[in-house]
Amino acid sequence: MHSLIINPARTTHREVPFEFWEKDGLIPQLIRLSIGLEDADDLIADLDQAIHTAFES
């Protein structure tokens, strides 16, 4: 099982009206992180790299 990061607004919940998202305090920029069976240090390093890359843009 592998880890996965998705944006529900563009995938699993793309057909849910925004009013439902707003009611629950959710935003389109929300990401879902599902942790798999990879080594914890590898996951932390990958997430750290992704976060730093995102904020450099």
Side-chain angles (χ1 to χ4, degrees):
M1 178 182 226
H2 296 283
S3 296
L4 175 68
I5 297 176
I6 64 167
N7 176 293
R10 294 176 182 231
T11 57
T12 59
H13 290 71
R14 69 178 174 263
E15 295 184 22
V16 175
F18 186 68
E19 296 79 36
F20 289 100
W21 281 67
E22 268 187 326
K23 178 180 71 83
D24 293 328
L26 302 174
I27 58 173
Q29 295 83 3
L30 175 79
I31 60 169
R32 177 181 177 202
L33 177 60
S34 298
I35 299 298
L37 299 175
E38 296 91 350
D39 181 73
D41 290 334
D42 290 341
L43 286 169
I44 292 168
D46 288 346
L47 288 170
D48 189 49
Q49 177 187 12
I51 290 168
H52 280 89
T53 300
F55 283 101
E56 288 176 357
S57 304

